[in-house]
Amino acid sequence: MTAPVLVLLATDACTLCDKAFELLASMPELRGTGLDVVDVAENDELLEEFGARLPVLAIRGYAGGMTQPLDWPFDSAAVVSWLRQIKQ
């Protein structure tokens, strides 16, 4: 089984997306966890669904799909709490 991977849905020239990436990269709780950044501008379906909500955090790997997303604004405590809920 493939380990779950965090997915940050973002786009270029998005300062909030940059802040979300910096937050995730700085969290010691996520050390060793994969992080993919997906530019929603490159996918019409993702752009339509998430474009007005960016940045959005999801996890790929549970049941082969994506988890319930975590919308911005989030901080490290919200990310940790969200991850605990998903793992239950």
Side-chain angles (χ1 to χ4, degrees), residues 12-77:
D12 287 338
C14 169
T15 57
L16 294 178
C17 300
D18 294 340
K19 287 181 182 184
F21 179 82
E22 290 170 10
L23 169 73
L24 297 169
S26 73
M27 290 179 61
E29 301 90 345
L30 300 180
R31 207 165 282 136
T33 302
L35 175 62
D36 288 343
V37 179
V38 174
D39 187 343
V40 299
E42 296 177 4
N43 181 304
D44 290 339
E45 290 177 27
L46 291 176
L47 183 60
E48 184 176 325
E49 184 173 354
F50 298 106
R53 298 167 42 189
L54 296 178
V56 175
L57 185 60
I59 297 180
R60 182 183 310 128
Y62 284 102
M66 298 278 269
T67 61
Q68 178 67 32
L70 178 63
D71 288 9
W72 186 262
F74 49 80
D75 58 12
S76 58

